[in-house]
Amino acid sequence: QVQLVEFGGGLVQAGGSLRLSCAAFGRTIDSYAMGWFRQASGKEREFVAGIGGSGDTDHADSVKGRFTISRDNAKSTLYLKMNNLKPEDTAVYYCAARRFTTIETARYAYYYWGQGTQVTVSS
């Protein structure tokens, strides 16, 4: 079993930056594809970015050029660097992992989920 714990959420002004972290505990996740999802109030959870077991990445169109997903396997940690934040980025952000190396954008493809961390961007 894998336990995921997010850190780094908070309140920032539009144009600001945040870095989210997701630490994994238990089973090693070095070969697992991982992702970041977000869920705004009243909306469905949506894919933000993913990183495969080989280090390949994918980012949603809404965040391309602003967000960067990365991982540090030595620390069993996933990151999401968020730059030029916009009010529409406000959501609860979740990290997730799955027992495959390839990235998937669908939330149902992921086995493990963190508890979520709130990101609020003020205008």
Side-chain angles (χ1 to χ4, degrees), residues 97-111:
R98 73 194 209 100
R99 296 178 181 177
F100 299 91
T101 62
T102 54
I103 300 167
E104 291 286 350
T105 60
R107 55 93 175 170
Y108 55 74
Y110 292 81
Y111 296 91

Side-chain angles (χ1 to χ4, degrees), residues 74-123:
K75 297 181 179 179
S76 297
T77 301
L78 177 74
Y79 301 99
L80 183 68
K81 177 61 179 175
M82 304 185 292
N83 294 324
N84 191 25
L85 283 160
K86 303 176 180 180
E88 53 262 42
D89 295 319
T90 295
V92 176
Y93 283 70
Y94 300 88
C95 64
R98 73 194 209 100
R99 296 178 181 177
F100 299 91
T101 62
T102 54
I103 300 167
E104 291 286 350
T105 60
R107 55 93 175 170
Y108 55 74
Y110 292 81
Y111 296 91
Y112 309 107
W113 293 86
Q115 83 289 350
T117 185
Q118 177 71 47
V119 172
T120 302
V121 184
S122 62
S123 60

Side-chain angles (χ1 to χ4, degrees), residues 53-66:
S54 62
D56 55 306
T57 62
D58 187 25
H59 297 78
D61 289 342
S62 60
V63 305
K64 283 183 178 177
R66 299 189 298 121

